[in-house]
Amino acid sequence: MSKRILMQGNEACVRGALKAGMRFFAGYPITPSTEIAEGCAVELPKVGGKFVQMEDEIASMAAVIGASVTGVKAMTATSGPGFSLKQENIGYASMAEIPCVIVDVQRSGPSTGLPTSSSQGDVMQSRWGTHGDHPIIVLSPSSVSETYYLAIRAFNLAEKYMTPVIFLMDEMIGHLRETVEIDDNVEIICRKQPDAPEGKFEAYKGEENLVPVLPVFGSGHYYNITGLTHNTWGFPTNNRAVANELNSRLLNKIENNRRDIEAWDEYLTDDAEILIIAYGGSARVGEDAVDMLRRKGIKAGMYRPITIWPMAEDRLRELSQRIKKILVIEHNNGQYLHEVERVAADDAEIEFIGRINGAFILPEEVTEKAEAM
Amino acid sequence: MPAKLIEREMRTENLPHIWCPGCSHGSTMRALCQAIENAGLERKNTIIVSGIGCSSRAVGYLNFDTIHTTHGRALAFATGIKLAKPQLNVIVLTGDGDISAIGGNHLIHACRRNIGITCIVLNNNIYGMTGGQYSPTTPSGDYATTAPYGNIDRDFDIPLLAKSAGATFTARVTAYGINEAIKVMERAIRHKGFSVVDVASICPSYYGRKNKKGDVVKMLQWQRDNSVPVKAAEKMSKEELQGKIITGIFNDEQYPEYTDEYEKIIERAGGR
Amino acid sequence: MERMEIRLAGTGGQGVILASIILAEAAVNAGRYACQTQSYGPEARGGACKAEAIISDSKISYPEVSDPGFVLVLTQKAAEKYVRNLKDDAIVIVDSRVEIPAEAENHKVYHLPILDTAEYKVGKAVTANIVAVGVINRILGICSFEELAETVRNRIPKGTEEFNLKALKAGNEMDLGG
């Protein structure tokens, strides 16, 4: 049954996570994500789950991984400065293949920046924030309703692909209250468990889809988890062939399954002659601008990546071969712009509008620029 | 043929271990295995967590569910494990740099929460894995590759630090006094709440060599000749205790354990 | 209802944020679409603070208020800071304790005793926001009084229903003048 209610973005994140089966949250207070921690502190014990406010952001990320290795779905939430601190253990989760969800409600940076103002300045950090070549999945919601459903999907992807998933929100959506329609009938995925009897288990072998089956701790399989390069049994090694095999499997685990992971949305692209590209909060600007342009008789459309990584780039390439004018709008100085250029620069003219003062781009600015293209 | 204890508790296929000849970590690891058996822990419910450094490599040899985490963060990972599944026995194996430098914040907060985790510190007064840099427990005046003119930092007394921060069981044993170490570790494992055992360890390769402490036997003899039981230490002056290792149990108190307290929150919230 | 941008401004503690949430929620309960945003941080505590809502019968894309069609101000400071970028046909409610700001000229202005009603008629100054909610709904016709009362009941602390509903009623029945 679907319910129609007014809800805040951060609250929708909590509700979605709970629906997905989150039963552990560790965090540290930081604006503008704090409502997520507060919501978890209230709601988790009601369902027998655990909430802990750790001593810092690093510890929160570590505790989330600790909870997850016992088989409990776990999440943390933060914003820019805290996201920087979490990178160490995000890399660990990526390497050790521990499913978990990291929410980053982006605020304006760099550094402490503008704590209560929105931004999309962590887009590149969400992909490359932790060191080394590593796999990651990044999702960005552009409405409160989508926040609810995408939080569920974040857990589903984490559990299915045994990977940390970054839930890249922004202050605009996190603090926004708006109409949400909640449908309780959603798919929930839980990580696979071995059907082998108790005893030693080759946990990091990787199945056909390259995803490993990691027994939850306490189930009697006695294996080792490490952030060091490891063999298929989880033990550290310096063997270059094994290192190559592991690192390739980690990257291909996402690459080979990208069709299943990729998500995007299109708005009036069928007959579009100008394509606006926006995601998260900036997509709300883009959508309004498309409507305004259409009212003026200009055939505008919008392509909105939902999985920021992996990007649904085949679709973007198709669109750019047909729609020769692209306008990228982001609440940063042009981060995803480079990704769009990588995919579409050969086929289309690409323009950009950014914002780095904590304010939002106005739909009128977009229409003006689009009209001039 | 490995001893029966080693066959039961260790991943013998991963042996021999990587530690230097004369390092006390191997015998301490064996002592821990004996303490786990003596405490009657069920393997299936026992999780061993480590950080980064020489001591933390022990988990690769222990036949349990083991997790080798990031530098300094073992206690934070362990907190997640214990809180998520309080029925699990969680033992953290760490070193002096791991627990009291990069992980110092996590240590004091785990103490403060009194969460039911046993923390064994293999304290060899040096960073061994990276080749002999001074740690927060390197005594003032000692030498290390990064203290070529002598260490001007003051050193931490880890059990004292832990006790002040709220740990309800703190103790120190030595690599020399391995039988006492087994007994104290067993008590720490049985303790309800957060327990810390500082194992005065020897690093002949780096700390010993840099500070002209002699060979392995000499270093262990030094431990034997300079250990003072906590009861005896109470009657000695500060000057008399200079350069001594105070051993034994410093405190063993009862205080509400963190995951027990959280169960009450669940009850209050109506989650049970 | 076409996209209606509402701005409520006052000083921290007057409850304009809760008022904006109640209006948005009442609109959703009445089958409309709504967005609500507010100031955060130190701004939300002292000085002039604002909260905004957008109500519409169709989906709302851009969720920020840029040219409000309705503004309520409860303090002089808020009147000076937040009565601006008004839509041509905007409606402005200025509390009777506050001088009408120059920016409000040429717009439909109601100069209403919201703070006085809360303090003297309801007997609790803290209910000014609920008085305001009653007045605003009366002017904008977001939902029925009963629907509004239900939303208020769900959003206020338990045990405060009696005087808050008294405030809502007082707002709903306020003499709007000519």
Side-chain angles (χ1 to χ4, degrees):
Chain A
M1 234 211 35
S2 164
K3 290 186 294 268
R4 203 169 170 281
I5 42 178
L6 183 81
M7 200 188 281
Q8 194 188 43
N10 284 344
E11 187 191 348
C13 173
V14 174
R15 294 232 202 158
L18 284 166
K19 180 74 190 169
M22 171 196 57
R23 289 297 178 270
F24 187 94
F25 180 97
Y28 187 84
I30 184 167
T31 304
S33 76
T34 307
E35 293 86 357
I36 296 175
E38 290 171 340
C40 289
V42 173
E43 298 301 327
L44 275 170
K46 289 185 190 169
V47 293
K50 312 290 169 64
F51 166 89
V52 59
Q53 183 172 311
M54 292 298 284
E55 54 273 18
D56 58 34
E57 298 276 6
I58 300 168
S60 309
M61 190 60 224
V64 158
I65 297 170
S68 183
V69 300
T70 72
V72 175
K73 291 184 184 178
M75 178 171 95
T76 185
T78 188
S79 186
F83 193 47
S84 294
L85 289 167
K86 289 190 194 295
Q87 294 301 332
E88 172 195 54
N89 287 328
I90 292 172
Y92 183 90
S94 195
M95 178 59 141
E97 302 179 78
I98 311 301
C100 53
V101 174
I102 302 99
V103 184
D104 175 19
V105 186
Q106 296 168 92
R107 68 191 217 185
S108 191
S111 189
T112 314
L114 296 164
T116 58
S117 296
S118 198
S119 157
Q120 295 178 307
D122 304 349
V123 172
M124 279 296 166
Q125 191 188 16
S126 73
R127 178 64 194 89
W128 296 114
T130 193
H131 54 277
D133 289 296
H134 61 277
I136 200 87
I137 296 175
V138 182
L139 310 173
S140 188
S142 73
S143 72
V144 176
S145 239
E146 191 175 52
T147 300
Y148 175 81
Y149 293 105
L150 220 44
I152 298 170
R153 183 149 198 259
F155 276 95
N156 284 349
L157 288 170
E159 296 278 319
K160 186 170 183 183
Y161 292 105
M162 299 300 285
T163 178
V165 172
I166 311 288
F167 195 45
L168 194 66
M169 296 176 65
D170 50 46
E171 192 273 347
M172 182 202 255
I173 304 302
H175 274 165
L176 178 66
R177 283 187 184 83
E178 67 179 341
T179 319
V180 168
E181 285 175 42
I182 286 190
D183 185 351
D184 284 333
N185 191 16
V186 286
E187 187 195 14
I188 306 294
I189 297 174
C190 294
R191 74 192 77 170
K192 262 194 184 171
Q193 284 298 288
D195 46 15
E198 284 184 20
K200 288 184 179 161
F201 185 75
E202 198 177 0
Y204 285 99
K205 209 168 95 183
E207 300 227 296
E208 233 171 86
N209 64 355
L210 304 181
V211 182
V213 175
L214 300 191
V216 300
F217 270 16
S219 64
H221 286 289
Y222 316 126
Y223 69 111
N224 185 54
I225 299 176
T226 179
L228 284 169
T229 299
H230 44 273
N231 62 23
T232 51
W233 295 89
F235 295 108
T237 177
N238 290 327
N239 182 304
R240 298 207 191 283
V242 176
N244 189 54
E245 202 174 316
L246 170 65
N247 288 331
S248 302
R249 182 179 64 72
L250 284 176
L251 295 170
N252 289 335
K253 178 175 77 171
I254 303 301
E255 187 57 35
N256 295 5
N257 294 299
R258 63 187 300 158
R259 291 271 172 238
D260 180 53
I261 300 167
E262 285 172 0
W264 73 94
D265 188 34
E266 290 178 33
Y267 183 52
L268 304 178
T269 50
D270 284 353
D271 62 343
E273 288 164 4
I274 181 158
L275 186 68
I276 290 169
I277 298 182
Y279 53 88
S282 64
R284 300 297 286 267
V285 182
E287 195 180 86
D288 210 39
V290 168
D291 286 340
M292 287 166 75
L293 287 163
R294 289 268 168 178
R295 281 198 293 272
K296 291 181 179 184
I298 296 167
K299 287 180 179 167
M302 184 167 76
Y303 169 83
R304 177 171 71 87
I306 296 171
T307 52
I308 304 298
W309 271 284
M311 182 205 227
E313 59 185 68
D314 286 352
R315 180 57 185 160
L316 175 59
R317 195 168 290 113
E318 277 168 28
L319 289 170
S320 67
Q321 282 161 1
R322 178 160 58 78
I323 309 169
K324 299 290 185 189
K325 292 174 185 171
I326 290 177
L327 177 54
V328 179
I329 57 174
E330 298 179 82
H331 291 131
N332 59 39
N333 202 41
Q335 296 192 15
Y336 213 57
L337 170 67
H338 299 303
E339 285 296 294
V340 173
E341 284 173 343
R342 179 176 63 77
V343 175
D346 288 345
D347 299 306
E349 169 199 355
I350 300 170
E351 291 281 352
F352 174 72
I353 301 179
R355 180 88 356 123
I356 50 172
N357 64 354
F360 301 125
I361 297 164
L362 294 170
E364 291 79 4
E365 295 173 65
V366 180
T367 56
E368 210 172 288
K369 186 121 186 172
E371 281 175 277
M373 279 177 78
Chain B
M1 272 286 284
K4 288 272 182 282
L5 174 75
I6 291 174
E7 270 190 348
R8 282 194 303 269
E9 307 299 340
M10 294 192 197
R11 291 157 168 155
T12 48
E13 69 274 20
N14 290 353
L15 295 170
H17 60 62
I18 61 162
W19 296 308
C20 306
C23 170
S24 60
H25 289 352
S27 58
T28 306
M29 176 168 72
R30 187 188 195 284
L32 174 65
C33 290
Q34 189 65 64
I36 289 173
E37 285 199 356
N38 293 355
L41 298 192
E42 200 191 337
R43 181 183 316 285
K44 196 174 163 181
N45 290 334
T46 303
I47 313 295
I48 305 182
V49 185
S50 72
I52 294 292
C54 292
S55 55
S56 291
R57 293 300 284 266
V59 296
Y61 312 116
L62 295 168
N63 192 25
F64 294 85
D65 280 336
T66 53
I67 177 165
H68 176 234
T69 69
T70 44
H71 196 22
R73 319 298 177 209
L75 278 173
F77 278 75
T79 298
I81 293 171
K82 184 69 185 177
L83 184 55
K85 291 273 172 73
Q87 68 271 29
L88 296 174
N89 311 300
V90 182
I91 298 171
V92 167
L93 269 180
T94 175
D96 41 307
D98 197 47
I99 200 76
S100 69
I102 190 165
N105 199 31
H106 311 309
L107 171 64
I108 59 174
H109 290 278
C111 293
R112 178 175 65 83
R113 290 187 191 102
N114 193 38
I115 187 161
I117 293 169
T118 304
C119 179
I120 311 287
V121 185
L122 278 60
N123 181 354
N124 59 7
N125 317 99
I126 202 95
Y127 285 87
M129 189 67 88
T130 46
Q133 298 75 35
Y134 67 93
S135 87
T137 64
T138 305
S140 305
D142 276 3
Y143 294 90
T145 59
T146 47
Y149 308 107
N151 179 24
I152 58 170
D153 286 23
R154 286 197 292 169
D155 50 316
F156 267 145
D157 177 326
I158 289 175
L160 185 64
L161 171 68
K163 188 180 159 191
S164 324
T168 47
F169 182 102
T170 64
R172 183 181 291 112
V173 296
T174 64
Y176 170 78
I178 207 70
N179 286 330
E180 196 196 355
I182 293 170
K183 283 190 204 122
V184 170
M185 284 196 260
E186 182 192 335
R187 277 188 63 180
I189 290 166
R190 289 181 185 274
H191 177 74
K192 184 125 184 102
F194 190 66
S195 56
V196 177
V197 180
D198 185 45
V199 184
S201 305
I202 59 165
C203 172
S205 294
Y206 294 111
Y207 179 76
R209 221 155 26 127
K210 273 280 167 195
N211 292 287
K212 304 196 167 33
K213 297 288 184 188
D215 63 12
V216 177
V217 175
K218 258 199 157 156
M219 288 183 81
L220 288 171
Q221 278 170 344
W222 184 87
Q223 283 198 339
R224 179 194 63 194
D225 299 340
N226 289 280
S227 295
V228 179
V230 60
K231 278 276 173 234
E234 279 166 10
K235 300 188 191 89
M236 291 166 70
S237 70
K238 225 178 171 181
E239 289 70 32
E240 287 171 311
L241 285 171
Q242 197 64 40
K244 303 288 182 193
I245 311 171
I246 306 174
T247 60
I249 295 168
F250 300 105
N251 70 322
D252 180 0
E253 308 163 58
Q254 292 305 311
Y255 188 82
E257 192 272 332
Y258 194 75
T259 62
D260 281 353
E261 291 302 293
Y262 200 88
E263 289 304 315
K264 293 179 194 164
I265 286 187
I266 292 176
E267 264 167 46
R268 252 177 266 158
R272 280 278 181 278
Chain C
M1 189 182 268
E2 287 252 319
R3 179 183 174 109
M4 169 57 77
E5 299 190 353
I6 299 167
R7 175 179 293 159
L8 313 180
T11 188
Q14 281 182 325
V16 295
I17 291 173
L18 180 60
S20 68
I21 293 171
I22 289 171
L23 290 171
E25 191 160 75
V28 172
N29 292 344
R32 303 183 198 276
Y33 288 90
C35 280
Q36 183 274 345
T37 56
Q38 66 203 53
S39 9
Y40 278 91
E43 210 188 331
R45 312 242 148 63
C49 125
K50 77 168 156 110
E52 293 169 332
I54 303 170
I55 295 170
S56 171
D57 282 342
S58 51
K59 231 182 113 211
I60 299 163
S61 42
Y62 191 65
E64 295 294 309
V65 165
S66 45
D67 44 349
F70 183 94
V71 178
L72 164 90
V73 286
L74 294 177
T75 63
Q76 201 65 49
K77 216 170 165 187
E80 282 151 24
K81 205 169 164 191
Y82 293 120
V83 180
R84 53 167 194 209
N85 302 331
L86 300 181
K87 249 174 105 173
D88 293 342
D89 59 353
I91 298 166
V92 183
I93 299 184
V94 180
D95 186 78
S96 55
R97 293 181 190 175
V98 174
E99 276 176 47
I100 296 171
E103 286 267 352
E105 281 169 22
N106 307 324
H107 295 278
K108 173 77 184 162
V109 177
Y110 294 98
H111 208 193
L112 300 176
I114 289 165
L115 298 174
D116 282 353
T117 301
E119 193 167 347
Y120 304 119
K121 215 167 148 189
V122 183
K124 284 202 186 284
V126 291
T127 61
N129 58 339
I130 304 298
V131 173
V133 164
V135 178
I136 295 166
N137 188 54
R138 168 106 166 275
I139 295 171
L140 295 181
I142 297 165
C143 62
S144 71
F145 179 79
E146 288 68 32
E147 283 172 315
L148 185 64
E150 188 54 36
T151 306
V152 168
R153 254 185 237 114
N154 288 335
R155 280 282 177 180
I156 54 172
K158 290 270 166 294
T160 67
E161 291 85 352
E162 200 187 322
F163 60 80
N164 272 310
L165 288 172
K166 192 173 166 191
L168 189 70
K169 208 154 171 263
N172 189 54
E173 289 166 2
M174 191 175 287
D175 179 5
L176 300 178

